[in-house]
Amino acid sequence: MHTRRTHRRTRTGSTRFRAALLAAALLAAALLATACSAGGASTSAGSPAAEAAGSTEAATATLTPLPKGTPSELAPYYEQKLGWRDCGVPGFQCATMKAPLDYAKPTEGDVRLAVARKKATGPGKRIGSLLVNPGGPGGSAIGYLQQYAGIGYPAKVRAQYDMVAVDPRGVARSEPVECLDGREMDAYTQTDVTPDDAEETDELVDAYKKFAEGCGADAPKLLRHVSTVEAARDMDVLRAVLGDEKLNYVGASYGTFLGATYAGLFPDRTGRLVLDGAMDPSLPARRLNLEQTAGFETAFQSFAKDCVKQPDCPLGDKGTTPDQVGKNLKSFFDDLDAKPLPAGDADGRKLTESLATTGVIAAMYDEGAWQQLRESLTSAIKEKDGAGLLILSDSYYEREADGGYSNLMFANAAVNCLDLPAAFTSPDEVRKALPDFEKASPVFGEGLAWSSLNCAYWPVRPTGEPHRIKAAGATPIVVVGTTRDPATPYRWAEALADQLSSGRLLTYEGDGHTAYGRGSACIDSAINTYLLTGTAPKDGKRCS
């Protein structure tokens, strides 16, 4: 599932462009977990998880809150003291927090979670802690805190809140899941995700199986306990350890599902929650992926309309329709499928169809990257140089200069494949669904449909299923949606705001993934006022 926001861009430029997380090769179901094995929460109704795999209908089951009291067996975790130390990053402190590996069996082992904070700068009365999460699943919350939130959030917010982050279990600094080494990941990311025949289909299936086997071999126990429900329960432990009565939180993209899950489990402990680029927890994997495919098409149409107005658009001119721009891009992808382009890569990689598609998708997350995309496409199409698109793709996958990868993609699959039953369980199911995906996006539909197959071979059975989140009794929760968001379609924000008993929908009419801190004074003012005073914007407020 492509759901993470980038580290930081502005709507007028790309000052620190890191193309978004979640590559096409891992477009699995992205959310929802409920079963008791995932930490003691359950839905109040609904079918077993396995039966949800092929469904396209939204769930009617509702996430059940946990008991208000803290179970005695969890007291050692809730009462622990953190030993804060210097992080090596000026102004930030770090610590390690323990949480039970299995909340249903808290005496059978711990998981160690990395935590970081930057204390409130003042002046003014400290409100409490503000936990942040950039999404993913798999994005490092600590990296986001240190690189942006802890220094880039509005000064008034940072003055009154301790800015805090915890890398979720299995992510980055918190016992990270590892699956493949750098060279194996290079091969994986170059696998053809638009197979033309049985041989290429078998190669794609083998790639998914090898990836899954690597993850299972690395962390056989942890892999069963990286669900969103468990990560949300970890946040409640952190809330208590920090001394806060309620959790204040800003989550982007997948981070909205994590925050909404917290509210559903602990509505009485829910403080000021901002859920930006919201996800709809009621949808099964196949429908999530299909609607997201349509979201990328919406974003591409917007890019195409802008591209043909520019003198350097390599896909058409002022008289070219967006649909024709899409056909021209698809033709370019087809050419790469037959003959990859040189890219000047030190490791000998060429620009394949799969890598080029990933590079284009990366730029859909932020209109500030459209110029970079035009330049990269021009180099590839007219100069037969694939370097620019390869750079975009590498940024998307968080591939480092030395050929190594962050654990983003590994954690992404680990959480996704545990949270929801697979969108598809066989190549035949994908083939039957191809017309729907290609209708949703003539440009990306085929590849995104095949990319939805990866969880079919996961070594751990899913523990979650689709459900609604009501969070009855929670204080107002601000749900933010962007009308042309590629990764979290606007309809999802509408759906989540409607599900939450206290949801307040805040709309940004524009392009890009997420809205807070990206240039809209109207959005920023509404959210800052809420964080600082507790006054939520009027439900249905729109900004442009």
Side-chain angles (χ1 to χ4, degrees):
M1 198 66 198
H2 305 253
T3 60
R4 172 218 167 188
R5 73 181 297 170
T6 64
H7 276 171
R8 184 50 33 184
R9 301 87 59 196
T10 64
R11 295 195 181 276
T12 58
S14 180
T15 59
R16 197 179 291 171
F17 180 67
R18 289 193 50 97
L21 311 166
L22 310 234
L26 286 180
L27 184 74
L31 48 168
L32 312 328
T34 54
C36 291
S37 61
S42 63
T43 51
S44 58
S47 59
E51 295 179 9
S55 173
T56 59
E57 297 301 318
T60 57
T62 302
L63 184 66
T64 302
L66 290 168
K68 291 185 178 181
T70 300
S72 58
E73 60 269 24
L74 295 180
Y77 297 102
Y78 275 80
E79 296 171 1
Q80 67 185 293
K81 303 297 182 183
L82 297 184
W84 294 102
R85 60 187 183 276
D86 181 72
C87 284
V89 179
F92 292 89
Q93 297 175 307
C94 289
T96 301
M97 184 184 83
K98 291 183 179 180
L101 177 66
D102 184 349
Y103 276 92
K105 302 175 181 178
T107 61
E108 296 190 3
D110 300 334
V111 59
R112 298 172 67 84
L113 306 176
V115 182
R117 74 178 179 186
K118 186 176 184 183
K119 301 191 74 172
T121 59
K125 183 180 179 181
R126 176 184 175 277
I127 295 173
S129 303
L130 181 63
L131 193 65
V132 296
N133 184 283
S140 172
I142 291 178
Y144 176 72
L145 176 73
Q146 294 177 342
Q147 296 175 34
Y148 175 65
I151 56 177
Y153 268 34
K156 290 184 179 180
V157 173
R158 291 183 286 114
Q160 294 187 251
Y161 283 101
D162 290 347
M163 302 295 297
V164 180
V166 55
D167 280 347
R169 50 179 65 201
V171 174
R173 299 164 177 84
S174 294
E175 300 194 16
V177 174
E178 301 290 344
C179 304
L180 304 175
D181 64 26
R183 289 192 176 276
E184 290 170 333
M185 270 299 289
D186 280 347
Y188 181 76
T189 60
Q190 294 175 74
T191 304
D192 189 349
V193 291
T194 58
D196 299 318
D197 52 36
E199 181 179 357
E200 290 187 351
T201 301
D202 289 343
E203 290 175 355
L204 180 59
V205 169
D206 288 344
Y208 288 149
K209 288 181 177 179
K210 182 177 181 180
F211 186 99
E213 290 168 358
C215 295
D218 174 73
K221 291 184 179 181
L222 180 62
L223 218 59
R224 291 172 169 80
H225 297 287
V226 292
S227 70
T228 298
V229 160
E230 287 161 314
R233 297 195 68 171
D234 295 340
M235 292 199 306
D236 194 57
V237 174
L238 179 59
R239 173 203 59 77
V241 170
L242 293 172
D244 293 324
E245 292 185 5
K246 294 193 174 186
L247 181 82
N248 301 308
Y249 174 86
V250 177
S253 199
Y254 162 81
T256 67
F257 173 56
L258 182 58
T261 299
Y262 181 90
L265 296 175
F266 307 102
D268 59 311
R269 302 174 191 172
T270 296
R272 302 169 189 178
L273 261 62
V274 177
L275 308 179
D276 185 13
M279 305 191 73
D280 180 358
S282 73
L283 299 182
R286 190 177 303 181
R287 183 167 164 188
L288 275 169
N289 290 342
L290 184 61
E291 290 192 9
Q292 191 184 65
T293 297
F296 278 106
E297 181 65 22
T298 296
F300 178 76
Q301 291 276 321
S302 188
F303 163 75
K305 292 175 183 177
D306 179 78
C307 185
V308 298
K309 297 176 183 178
Q310 310 302 325
D312 61 343
C313 180
L315 298 172
D317 53 30
K318 291 183 179 180
T320 309
T321 65
D323 287 345
Q324 186 59 51
V325 171
K327 290 178 181 178
N328 293 342
L329 180 61
K330 191 67 167 63
S331 178
F332 168 63
F333 288 158
D334 291 342
D335 291 342
L336 288 176
D337 191 26
K339 186 178 181 180
L341 288 178
D345 181 61
D347 295 315
R349 294 176 302 153
K350 292 186 176 182
L351 181 69
T352 62
E353 178 191 15
S354 58
L355 291 172
T357 302
T358 300
V360 173
I361 283 177
M364 293 300 99
Y365 281 76
D366 177 23
E367 69 273 28
W370 288 357
Q371 179 180 347
Q372 184 179 358
L373 176 59
R374 292 197 309 273
E375 293 171 353
S376 298
L377 284 169
T378 297
S379 294
I381 294 171
K382 298 185 177 181
E383 301 168 17
K384 306 304 178 186
D385 179 1
L389 285 173
L390 186 61
I391 289 172
L392 283 170
S393 179
D394 284 351
S395 180
Y396 194 76
Y397 282 114
E398 292 197 351
R399 184 185 192 272
E400 306 299 338
D402 62 2
Y405 289 76
S406 77
N407 100 305
L408 165 66
M409 305 312 299
F410 313 138
N412 174 251
V415 176
N416 285 341
C417 296
L418 192 62
D419 271 358
L420 269 188
F424 300 107
T425 60
S426 70
D428 285 343
E429 288 187 3
V430 177
R431 293 188 187 97
K432 291 178 183 178
L434 279 175
D436 288 337
F437 276 77
E438 291 176 323
K439 181 179 180 181
S441 176
V443 178
F444 306 117
E446 181 183 7
L448 296 185
W450 281 106
S451 296
S452 306
L453 182 62
N454 74 308
C455 282
Y457 309 103
W458 202 243
V460 176
R461 291 177 62 84
T463 56
E465 62 183 22
H467 58 265
R468 297 170 63 85
I469 298 178
K470 190 173 182 180
T475 55
I477 298 172
V478 177
V479 180
V480 188
T482 297
T483 55
R484 293 186 294 279
D485 191 314
T488 51
Y490 178 67
R491 194 206 67 76
W492 293 359
E494 293 179 305
L496 181 59
D498 183 64
Q499 291 171 38
L500 292 168
S501 295
S502 59
R504 302 282 183 89
L505 180 63
L506 175 62
T507 299
Y508 175 70
E509 297 177 351
D511 297 291
H513 184 39
T514 73
Y516 182 46
R518 300 189 63 228
S520 169
C522 174
I523 291 289
D524 292 354
S525 176
I527 293 176
N528 293 338
T529 297
Y530 170 65
L531 290 175
L532 293 171
T533 70
T535 302
K538 182 180 179 181
D539 186 35
K541 180 179 176 63
R542 302 182 75 89
C543 297
S544 59

